[in-house]
Amino acid sequence: MLNLESLLIRFEHLLPPPHAELNWAAPAFRWRKKIVLGTSVGWLEAIHHPHKIQLADLQNVEPQKAEIARNTRQFVQGRLANNVLLTGTRGTGKSSLVKAVLHEYVSQGLRLVEVDKDDLCDLADIVALLAPRPERFIVFCDDLSFEEGEGGYKALKSVLDGSVAATSSNVLIYATSNRRHLLPEYFDENLKTRHVDGEIHPADAVEEKISLSERFGLWLSFYPFTQDEYLVAARHWLAEFGVRQWDETTERAALNWALGRGSRSGRVAWQFARDLAGRGKTDRVISRPSPHGKDSGDPCQP
């Protein structure tokens, strides 16, 4: 039979690490959750080696890059700044831009806290944990969208600016989404103007659905790549992986790869380059002209 000390040791292993032991010098953190004795418990986990990407690596998103860099620079300097919603086509650099601003400003005290959409109900607790710290935190939620009835929607809305408590000056929320309106809207909602199902003010219900997006002070939109932009990205990543040949055969292979994926984006270009480089074709070196007449670099990191 296990003695009391052994039981306590086993129970201690079930518990998350205490916040007092957290290494706040880490550049990034992730909110983790587990069920302990039937109760959901959350804690911050330090990430000492986050994915590094530089702002200079991101091309063909210059307006978006300039805006998010300006907003983040104001934030780390202690000036007023806005929460940011990055929306648009998948694979065009939304998440990478958030990672890039972390890399750019981490030496100035910026930190990133990644929170899964399913854990947004804990957002108020996370902000309360970060508020006393001297660092500046971006709470990052990737691929954000909600279905009807999900609780994280109201939690996020409250933290953005709807709570009676003042928002913490050292916390901003950056979120990415493939759609601008974060809750689904339906054509039949227009029918509710005839008071279907007893709704007296149906327009208010529709307004409720778009109000979450409007609580982000800065919107950045991302658009599909043109063929030339996609090829520039493919050439860049091939060069990064040691394949410096670019000819008609390689270009055709890149286009066929995008056709097979049904998309032209920086992510697809990165995947194509990894595939080609992984086949061992790293010993051929020639110039790699750009369709724009110059080497433009990478428009997107996956």
Side-chain angles (χ1 to χ4, degrees):
M1 179 179 294
L2 293 173
N3 59 34
L4 180 59
E5 184 178 357
S6 297
L7 286 173
L8 289 175
I9 291 174
R10 294 184 63 178
F11 179 71
E12 185 178 6
H13 290 163
L14 294 175
L15 297 175
H19 292 306
E21 296 180 3
L22 186 62
N23 180 9
W24 291 101
F29 304 87
R30 180 187 294 114
W31 183 252
R32 301 289 303 276
K33 293 187 73 173
K34 66 163 61 172
I35 303 298
V36 179
L37 299 179
T39 302
S40 179
V41 179
W43 73 98
L44 284 178
E45 177 184 73
I47 302 174
H48 295 282
H49 304 287
H51 183 195
K52 293 182 179 180
I53 179 172
Q54 301 183 44
L55 285 171
D57 292 329
L58 299 169
Q59 303 294 321
N60 299 318
V61 288
E62 295 303 322
Q64 299 94 323
K65 181 166 62 174
E67 281 294 284
I68 198 171
R70 175 193 57 76
N71 191 73
T72 308
R73 184 167 57 252
Q74 290 173 198
F75 179 53
V76 298
Q77 292 174 351
R79 294 184 285 152
L80 295 176
N82 275 308
N83 302 301
V84 182
L85 178 62
L86 304 90
T87 65
T89 307
R90 64 188 186 277
T92 49
K94 301 184 295 293
S95 301
S96 297
L97 202 47
V98 177
K99 297 171 186 176
V101 294
L102 170 65
H103 179 75
E104 183 77 10
Y105 296 107
V106 67
S107 62
Q108 300 180 37
L110 184 66
R111 300 292 184 266
L112 186 74
V113 178
E114 184 178 28
V115 179
D116 189 83
K117 183 190 75 169
D118 295 333
D119 296 331
L120 286 175
C121 289
D122 298 330
L123 199 51
D125 294 331
I126 297 171
V127 172
L129 181 64
L130 302 177
R133 297 294 309 174
E135 299 88 358
R136 317 290 286 184
F137 294 93
I138 289 175
V139 174
F140 174 47
C141 188
D142 197 20
D143 198 18
L144 185 64
S145 64
F146 297 99
E147 299 302 326
E148 295 286 353
E150 288 193 76
Y153 162 75
K154 291 187 180 297
L156 177 58
K157 185 176 177 181
S158 177
V159 168
L160 284 170
D161 67 0
S163 172
V164 66
T167 56
S168 177
S169 61
N170 71 330
V171 177
L172 283 182
I173 296 175
Y174 286 11
T176 70
S177 178
N178 290 336
R179 63 190 190 192
R180 170 66 63 84
H181 291 164
L182 301 177
L183 276 171
E185 299 176 66
Y186 306 100
F187 282 112
D188 63 1
E189 287 176 334
N190 292 326
L191 299 176
K192 293 183 179 180
T193 56
R194 301 178 182 178
H195 311 299
V196 176
D197 297 329
E199 174 65 66
I200 298 177
H201 301 291
D204 292 349
V206 177
E207 286 296 316
E208 167 77 5
K209 291 192 169 188
I210 65 175
S211 66
L212 178 59
S213 297
E214 291 182 347
R215 291 175 188 264
F216 288 89
L218 183 60
W219 289 357
L220 300 177
S221 299
F222 293 72
Y223 305 99
F225 282 10
T226 66
Q227 178 171 297
D228 283 352
E229 288 170 340
Y230 166 73
L231 291 175
V232 166
R235 282 196 301 276
H236 170 83
W237 284 115
L238 282 173
E240 287 293 311
F241 296 143
V243 182
R244 300 189 180 277
Q245 174 169 335
W246 187 265
D247 53 25
E248 291 184 2
T249 301
T250 309
E251 181 174 303
R252 177 52 53 190
L255 293 174
N256 286 338
W257 181 276
L259 184 62
R261 298 299 301 271
S263 173
R264 290 194 299 257
S265 69
R267 179 184 296 138
V268 172
W270 179 80
Q271 292 166 344
F272 163 74
R274 285 178 61 89
D275 180 77
L276 190 64
R279 301 183 190 192
K281 301 180 179 182
T282 60
D283 56 345
R284 301 174 298 172
V285 181
I286 64 172
S287 61
R288 47 191 181 98
S290 164
H292 301 296
K294 61 180 181 179
D295 182 12
S296 300
D298 169 42
C300 170
Q301 167 78 12

